[in-house]
Amino acid sequence: MARVLIVGAGFAGVACARRLADEPRAQVTIIDRNGFHQFQPLLYQIATAELAPRDIRFDLDEMFARHANVETRTGEVVAIDPNRVSVTLADDTTIDGDVLVLGAGAQPNFFHTPGADQFTLPLYSLADALRVRGRLLELFRDAAAKPELVDDGALTFVVVGGGPTGVETAGALAEIVHDVMPHVYPHLAIAGAKVILVDLGHTVLTAFSDEAHGYAVRQLRRRGVELRLGVSVKEVAPDHVTLGDGTEIKTHLVVWGGGQMAAPVAFGSGLPQGHGGRIDVRPDLTVPGFPKVYALGDVANIPVGDGTVLPQLGSVAQQSGDWAAGNIIGDLEGTGRQPFHYKDKGIMAMIGRKAAVAEIGPHRHELNGRFAFAAWLGVHAQLLANAGAELRAFVSWLDDFYVRPAHRSAELLDPSTIDEPRIRKNA
Ligand SMILES: Cc1cc2nc3c(=O)[nH]c(=O)nc-3n(C[C@H](O)[C@H](O)[C@H](O)COP(=O)(O)OP(=O)(O)OC[C@H]3O[C@@H](n4cnc5c(N)ncnc54)[C@H](O)[C@@H]3O)c2cc1C
């Protein structure tokens, strides 16, 4: 019987545990600080009050209730010992295993931008997303009570980063700011509200084609997003952002989608770290020199074979988790490990209602607009269903995208509403 310790219940950790749940020769312990799996790609919809936390949060106990060989633990892993194959939790408990699987994900990389770690809000967890939502709604409430605050930047929202996270967040912010809030605060001068996207690069969604760049830029502008491209964020303060060209933007909400690096637990682990602090792995997903330690998903640099590494994507994390489990089973059976083979299904990003870009399959068949939007809905509905979601998110989307576009429930628009005690505890 092999004791498998999995750190992190993201796409990678859950996929690994799910595959091992059918393996009688493995005893699995999956540890996450939250006690639930959060569906990261939809965090921006929590932040912009499109979905409720319960729509993207999946309790680990429920997920593995029917699998006697999977134990779930809620706790912060503060240290790992790759030689002993053990982890230490914040309460000083040490858990020993025979195989260690690291799926601890990422954290924001502020690139030493002064003030960014203190005064911006990243989007990596449900707690982060709820902070953004809370701040957004409070700023509207305050501006409605004191309209002069608008001149002070109360309704100017800045998003840093023109990758998928920044673009999706900016598009969704523009919709709530310009389409939803005028109904909630009809007397507020919302014409003074702004969503500004800043990126050092000269376009957005650089991982996509030139056609997609142009489409995304047009769609964002059409939705009222102001683009400041080719300029860096020099400094962030509680009430403004200073750009590299000296421009000062008054704001009280800056969302950071400006880059990421390996989760803190990778640092000080003694494991080899490469680009972004991520743990370098061999083609079979084990760490060089540590054959009993796997690193997967966003915390790992997974080699492709041509000297590059795979991008930080949900599909990479999920497939690497499943593959690592296969290799663990291969070791138990004595058939050995296989090099990871990633099935590239493509990439997509939503810009707003009925507007998305998608590049489908390894040959990157391009779709923009309504077809890409429909593909986005289908793919995310399927992914959520696989995670164990009920129908709620789909009903919210249909309502929001097709039936009552400018409507949000009172629960979603209440800054103090957090629908589960566990999130309040961890926030
Ligand atoms: C806002 C946003 C939007 C995205 N959109 C897309 C998209 O549209 N499509 C796509 O393919 N990808 C998208 N991604 C990327 C995708 O979400 C990630 O690639 C994927 O979540 C990585 O999975 P993972 O399992 O490696 O890590 P994660 O999903 O980050 O999971 C890591 C888990 O580890 C836990 N953890 C970390 N450290 C510790 C510790 N010390 N102790 C205990 N627990 C710990 C965390 O709580 C977390 O549950 C998006 C990411 C973000 C942030």
Side-chain angles (χ1 to χ4, degrees), residues 6-15 31-45 60 73-80 88-90 102-107 122-125 128 164-166 168-169 256-257 260 263-266 296-300 311-318 320-321 342 346-350 376 379-380 383:
I6 302 177
V7 178
F11 286 105
V14 164
I31 309 159
D32 197 287
R33 59 164 71 98
N34 295 318
F36 55 78
H37 167 70
Q38 56 201 358
F39 193 88
Q40 269 192 4
L42 294 176
L43 288 176
Y44 79 95
Q45 295 201 2
L60 290 181
R73 296 277 291 252
T74 302
E76 178 81 24
V77 173
V78 290
I80 61 173
T88 303
L89 305 185
L102 294 174
Q107 61 175 321
L123 261 187
Y124 279 98
S125 66
D128 290 341
T165 299
E168 291 186 327
T169 306
W256 188 267
Q260 55 157 259
V265 78
L296 316 170
D298 278 7
V299 82
Q312 283 68 56
L313 287 175
S315 48
V316 172
Q318 203 165 27
S320 63
Y342 174 57
I347 47 177
M348 50 177 63
M350 155 98 95
W376 185 98
V379 166
H380 285 77
L383 288 170

Side-chain angles (χ1 to χ4, degrees), residues 108-141:
N109 188 346
F110 297 109
F111 298 105
H112 308 293
T113 310
D117 57 343
Q118 266 179 293
F119 305 119
T120 71
L121 296 177
L123 261 187
Y124 279 98
S125 66
L126 207 35
D128 290 341
L130 287 168
R131 269 183 218 116
V132 174
R133 190 190 71 168
R135 178 83 65 89
L136 174 71
L137 298 175
E138 275 165 11
L139 285 165
F140 267 97
R141 192 188 56 194

Side-chain angles (χ1 to χ4, degrees), residues 330-374:
D331 272 347
L332 291 170
E333 286 174 343
T335 52
R337 303 173 197 152
Q338 297 299 320
F340 177 49
H341 176 68
Y342 174 57
K343 280 197 198 123
D344 186 355
K345 294 180 186 163
I347 47 177
M348 50 177 63
M350 155 98 95
I351 300 156
R353 195 177 307 124
K354 299 184 188 165
V357 290
E359 296 182 5
I360 312 284
H363 300 298
R364 296 291 154 96
H365 178 67
E366 278 183 41
L367 289 178
N368 294 334
R370 284 166 191 263
F371 290 117
F373 180 75

Side-chain angles (χ1 to χ4, degrees), residues 4 22 27 50 87 134 188 295 326 357 372 406 409 412:
V4 181
D22 297 324
Q27 174 61 47
E50 278 180 60
V87 301
L188 183 62
V357 290
S409 73
L412 290 175

